[in-house]
């Protein structure tokens, strides 16, 4: 039987490797696209997504964003940042090694917050940074998918509908 620490450590590195592979594939695909034809559409998508993300970040209070679940996700990101495993510390006595509990949820959000901790130093603001970047990416992808299938007015309406959902905030 595998130890929980081994499983938690392998989960961390498996998700980090998968994120790197998907990012490399997206960059490779983006390099093959004819950017001249799509520059106008891309500029509109980036500007509307950026404006809507800014509206959400600056006009919706941060206390509305913080829910009970984020406490455990932040604890998991600290465990990932400090120990490179998917779990959070449940017992931290001065003379004993820390004990971990493995988080059963998807480790993608804590991994991204952990990477933000690695880049910018430990701060609770890193969770909001990751949320803001994820919201921007979701709005951008929604605009891109909707404008190709339904047209520009429907794409803008889809973005507006998304920012009214409390799940995305």
């Amino acid at each position: 039987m595998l130890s929980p620490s081994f499983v938690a450590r392998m989960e961390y590195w498996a998700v980090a490797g998968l994120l790197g592979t998907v990012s490399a594939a997206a960059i490779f695909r983006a390099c093959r696209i004819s950017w001249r034809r799509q520059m106008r559409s891309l500029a509109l998508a980036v500007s509307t997504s950026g404006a809507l993300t800014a509206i959400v970040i600056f006009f919706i209070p941060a206390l509305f964003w913080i829910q009970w679940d984020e406490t455990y996700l932040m604890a998991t990101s600290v465990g990932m940042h400090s120990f490179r495993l998917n779990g959070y510390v449940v017992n931290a006595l001065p003379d004993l090694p820390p004990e971990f509990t493995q988080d059963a949820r998807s480790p993608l959000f804590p991994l991204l917050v952990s990477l933000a901790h690695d880049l910018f130093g430990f701060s609770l603001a890193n969770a909001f940074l990751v949320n803001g970047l994820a919201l921007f990416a979701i709005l951008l992808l929604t605009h891109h998918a909707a404008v190709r299938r339904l047209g520009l007015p429907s794409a803008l309406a889809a973005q507006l509908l998304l920012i009214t959902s409390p799940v995305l905030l």
Side-chain angles (χ1 to χ4, degrees):
M1 182 162 168
L2 299 174
S3 73
S5 175
F6 177 76
V7 172
R9 193 170 305 281
M10 294 314 325
E11 259 188 12
Y12 173 84
W13 289 109
V15 172
L18 182 64
L19 182 64
T21 303
V22 169
S23 299
I27 290 170
F28 177 74
R29 173 130 168 87
C31 290
R32 297 182 59 198
I33 293 174
S34 171
W35 289 102
R36 288 186 187 263
R37 285 186 309 155
Q38 298 186 3
M39 191 57 75
R40 183 174 169 196
S41 175
L42 182 65
L44 181 64
V46 167
S47 62
T48 57
S49 300
L52 291 173
T53 302
I55 287 170
V56 167
I57 288 173
F58 291 114
F59 292 112
I60 295 179
L63 289 177
F64 182 76
W65 293 16
I66 300 172
Q67 298 174 9
W68 183 77
D69 203 34
E70 272 76 10
T71 308
Y72 291 102
L73 292 172
M74 261 321 270
T76 302
S77 74
V78 171
M80 287 182 161
H81 172 67
S82 302
F83 304 102
R84 299 291 186 243
L85 52 81
N86 181 28
Y88 53 92
V89 177
V90 291
N91 184 12
L93 298 173
D95 298 332
L96 297 174
E99 293 179 24
F100 292 91
T101 295
Q102 190 172 359
D103 199 347
R105 291 169 293 225
S106 169
L108 182 60
F109 178 77
L111 177 72
L112 294 175
V113 176
S114 169
L115 293 175
H117 291 329
D118 293 341
L119 292 174
F120 306 117
F122 181 77
S123 172
L124 294 177
N126 291 336
F128 294 106
L129 172 72
V130 170
N131 275 340
L133 291 175
L135 178 62
F136 176 77
I138 289 169
L139 290 172
L140 187 66
L141 290 173
T142 300
H143 185 278
H144 178 70
V147 80
R148 293 180 75 189
R149 288 169 182 74
L150 304 170
L152 183 60
S154 297
L156 296 175
Q159 286 181 314
L160 289 173
L161 281 172
L162 276 177
I163 66 166
T164 61
S165 171
V167 173
L168 290 179
L169 303 180

